[in-house]
């Protein structure tokens, strides 16, 4: 049982950064084999950069990084991590549409079902690394956002609810001349960002618009109303710890990811390690004052940034958001994916399993196909991504349903 025992504090204290550092080191070290190469999933972000840097500093294992690069800044950020950690080899996952069948086949053969949490880097590249280097341990920085590198934005609401207006003032970002107006607006909104709720409602509308289930099915089971309640309940949490303990940690998607990745890696003779979910490390974060978690002028991930400053490259530590620039793929590269899914959509209805075909809104799927055709040669946008994601879900569901002996 997790303890919400974060003490109230008026000033920051270096002891919390030191404790976080020590437990980070312990969480990684106790999962590290005495010898042999180690694979690290690297995104160029703060979490994976921390894992890579600490392994390099504290251990002598040869380090291999593997990544899938989608945005322009990612390649530079990953290179900075690799250089500082003296990575012996970096594998970049080639993005190929025709590799999708291999991923689906591995999920079905190793899990017996389709995972809702796909691997960021396709398992085929891990298999290749294992064959070439004998490395079998894969380190992941997954879990940082959920707990120990939580953005900390809810500290603003905590300060309002505790009537700690001096701390609330310190969190207001922007030009000094505009800060008083922002402060008043924050007070009027009771510390909440009104854009947060509206963004959630917009996301729900997008999910409804792009759903390929027939509307009578979603209405009959109240699917979107349930999803709306779930999201709005999440938005209503007014403290960092409450979000983590009551929403993030019990989230079934976490358990699904752990189970799916463990079983799929095991099928390749490999093993995942998630040091950011170390029990002592998580509880220590929950026992740390909120003032340590979101810094002045809304410096996110404040505790962790200070703990890894000088260890992880500054280009990563000093970033206050997760943006990575424009998509790196050329229009021709995107068109490869568009054409792949256009062809799959055109043959999908004829091969779809008869027992579930009546659930699908085929007219909406064909409208998505027409949009993909019209967008050939253009930069990728969110509508393209939604269409291909929907087609992928139907395509993989059909393969699984046929493979499960439902003939």
């Amino acid at each position: 049982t997790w303890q919400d025992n974060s003490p109230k504090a008026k000033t920051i204290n270096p002891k919390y950064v030191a404790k976080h550092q020590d437990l980070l080191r312990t969480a990684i070290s106790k999962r590290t084999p005495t010898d042999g190469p180690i694979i690290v999933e690297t995104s160029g972000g703060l979490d994976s950069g921390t894992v890579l840097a600490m392994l390099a500093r504290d251990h002598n294992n040869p380090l291999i990084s593997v990544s899938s690069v989608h945005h322009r800044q990612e390649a530079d950020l990953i290179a900075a991590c690799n250089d500082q950690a003296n990575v012996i080899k970096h594998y970049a996952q080639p993005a190929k549409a025709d590799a999708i069948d291999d991923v689906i086949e591995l999920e079905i053969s190793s899990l017996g079902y389709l995972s809702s949490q796909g691997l960021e880097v396709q398992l085929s590249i891990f298999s290749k690394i294992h064959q070439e280097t004998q490395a079998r341990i894969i380190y992941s920085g997954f879990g940082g956002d959920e707990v120990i590198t939580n953005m900390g934005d809810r500290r603003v609401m905590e300060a309002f609810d505790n009537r700690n207006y001096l701390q609330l003032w310190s969190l207001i970002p922007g030009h000094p001349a505009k800060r008083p107006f922002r402060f008043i607006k924050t007070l009027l909104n009771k510390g909440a960002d009104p854009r947060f709720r509206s963004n959630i409602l917009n996301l729900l509308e997008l999910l409804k618009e792009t759903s390929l289930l027939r509307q009578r099915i979603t209405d009959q089971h109240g699917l979107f109303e349930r999803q709306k309640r779930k999201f709005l309940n999440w938005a209503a949490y007014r403290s960092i710890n409450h979000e983590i303990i009551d929403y993030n940690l019990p989230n079934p998607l976490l358990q699904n990811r752990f189970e799916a990745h463990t079983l799929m890696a095991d099928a390749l003779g490999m093993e995942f390690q998630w040091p950011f979910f170390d029990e002592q490390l998580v509880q220590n974060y929950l026992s740390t004052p909120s003032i340590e978690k979101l810094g002045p002028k809304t410096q996110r991930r404040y505790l962790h940034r200070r703990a890894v400053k000088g260890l992880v490259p500054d280009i990563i530590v000093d970033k206050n958001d997760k943006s990575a620039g424009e998509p790196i793929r050329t229009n021709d590269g995107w068109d490869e994916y568009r054409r792949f899914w256009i062809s799959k959509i055109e043959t999908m209805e004829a091969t779809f399993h008869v027992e579930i075909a009546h659930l699908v809104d085929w007219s909406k799927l064909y409208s998505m196909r027409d949009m993909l055709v019209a967008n050939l040669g253009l930069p990728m946008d969110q509508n393209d991504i939604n269409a291909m994601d929907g087609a992928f879900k139907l395509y993989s569901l059909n393969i699984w349903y046929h493979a499960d002996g439902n003939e």
Side-chain angles (χ1 to χ4, degrees):
T1 303
W2 302 110
Q3 301 298 315
D4 180 9
N5 54 4
S6 172
K8 290 181 172 60
K10 294 183 178 180
T11 59
I12 60 172
N13 189 325
K15 74 176 185 180
Y16 291 107
V17 173
K19 184 70 177 292
H20 185 75
Q21 286 173 329
D22 289 343
L23 290 174
L24 265 175
R25 174 179 285 181
T26 300
I28 291 172
S29 292
K30 69 184 183 183
R31 291 167 171 80
T32 305
T34 54
D35 55 22
I38 294 173
I39 302 168
V40 182
E41 286 185 312
T42 50
S43 64
L46 187 63
D47 298 337
S48 62
T50 297
V51 173
L52 190 62
M54 285 201 157
L55 283 169
R57 183 189 64 184
D58 298 336
H59 302 276
N60 295 319
N61 305 70
L63 297 176
I64 300 164
S65 72
V66 57
S67 59
S68 183
V69 177
H70 301 288
H71 296 86
R72 297 197 181 280
Q73 290 179 13
E74 282 178 324
D76 292 338
L77 297 172
I78 290 166
C81 287
N82 289 345
D83 291 345
Q84 189 152 317
N86 294 317
V87 165
I88 62 168
K89 191 165 186 178
H90 174 245
Y91 289 80
Q93 169 67 47
K96 293 184 178 179
D98 56 12
I100 289 170
D101 285 338
D102 294 335
V103 176
I104 295 172
E105 181 182 347
L106 180 60
E107 284 192 358
I108 294 174
S109 63
S110 57
L111 303 178
Y113 60 88
L114 296 169
S115 170
S116 62
Q117 292 284 322
L119 284 166
E120 289 300 316
V121 181
Q122 292 174 1
L123 280 166
S124 56
I125 194 72
F126 289 135
S127 178
K128 176 183 178 181
I129 298 170
H130 181 49
Q131 293 170 6
E132 292 182 0
T133 68
Q134 304 305 306
R136 59 176 301 275
I137 304 296
I138 307 166
Y139 267 85
S140 172
F142 172 66
D145 290 351
E146 285 72 14
V147 188
I148 70 159
T149 64
N150 187 284
M151 293 293 179
D153 291 335
R154 281 177 168 80
R155 188 192 158 213
V156 178
M157 291 183 280
E158 289 184 43
F160 177 87
D161 291 344
N162 292 327
R163 299 184 179 181
N164 195 328
Y165 302 121
L166 186 61
Q167 283 193 16
L168 186 61
W169 169 260
S170 74
L171 296 171
I172 304 299
H175 191 278
K178 296 182 178 180
R179 289 182 74 198
F181 301 100
R182 289 197 174 113
F183 182 68
I184 293 170
K185 185 177 180 181
T186 301
L187 291 175
L188 293 173
N189 288 314
K190 300 181 178 180
D193 186 340
R195 295 171 298 180
F196 192 48
R197 180 185 173 89
S198 63
N199 287 344
I200 287 175
L201 295 176
N202 289 338
L203 174 61
L204 284 166
E205 282 303 310
L206 179 63
L207 290 173
K208 188 181 292 188
E209 291 171 8
T210 57
S211 171
L212 291 170
L213 271 175
R214 290 188 183 276
Q215 186 171 345
R216 64 177 177 81
I217 303 295
T218 59
D219 291 346
Q220 178 183 345
H221 297 281
L223 298 181
F224 287 108
E225 282 304 311
R226 287 195 298 180
Q227 190 73 4
K228 181 178 179 179
R229 287 195 298 272
K230 178 182 175 182
F231 280 174
L232 291 180
N233 285 342
W234 171 58
Y237 289 116
R238 294 188 61 83
S239 81
I240 298 169
N241 279 7
H242 286 171
E243 178 201 8
I244 292 171
I245 294 173
D246 296 336
Y247 185 86
N248 292 352
L249 288 172
N251 193 326
L253 291 179
L254 287 184
Q255 182 61 38
N256 176 274
R257 178 157 180 158
F258 291 144
E259 179 183 86
H261 286 202
T262 296
L263 291 174
M264 286 191 283
D266 185 66
L268 300 173
M270 306 182 80
E271 178 184 342
F272 267 98
Q273 295 289 351
W274 294 282
F276 283 9
F277 277 102
D278 180 82
E279 184 176 354
Q280 288 182 294
L281 185 60
V282 169
Q283 184 55 62
N284 178 68
Y285 187 83
L286 296 173
S287 303
T288 299
S290 292
I291 194 172
E292 304 284 346
K293 299 172 183 176
L294 184 72
K297 298 185 179 180
T298 321
Q299 294 180 65
R300 293 168 164 165
R301 302 165 141 197
Y302 191 49
L303 177 71
H304 191 79
R305 289 183 192 281
R306 288 175 291 151
V308 299
K309 183 70 172 177
L311 179 65
V312 176
D314 286 346
I315 191 176
I316 294 166
V317 175
D318 294 339
K319 280 178 95 272
N320 201 36
D321 59 45
K322 302 190 75 170
S323 64
E326 295 296 318
I328 202 168
R329 195 183 307 281
T330 64
N331 290 352
D332 288 343
W334 288 124
D335 282 351
E336 176 191 353
Y337 275 81
R338 288 192 182 106
R339 290 192 176 94
F340 177 86
W341 286 114
I342 289 167
S343 67
K344 294 298 183 186
I345 291 171
E346 288 175 346
T347 60
M348 198 178 294
E349 186 174 11
T351 62
F352 216 74
H353 201 287
V354 65
E355 291 187 10
I356 53 175
H358 67 284
L359 302 175
V360 180
D361 187 336
W362 294 105
S363 62
K364 188 181 287 188
L365 182 63
Y366 292 136
S367 295
M368 291 179 175
R369 174 203 60 192
D370 295 342
M371 180 203 66
L372 291 173
V373 171
N375 286 353
L376 286 170
L378 299 176
M380 182 69 69
D381 65 17
Q382 191 61 47
N383 291 324
D384 291 300
I385 294 171
N386 293 336
M388 292 188 288
D389 182 59
F392 168 74
K393 289 174 180 175
L394 282 184
Y395 179 70
S396 55
L397 175 65
N398 190 41
I399 292 175
W400 173 71
Y401 211 81
H402 279 290
D404 203 38
N406 296 298
E407 303 300 336

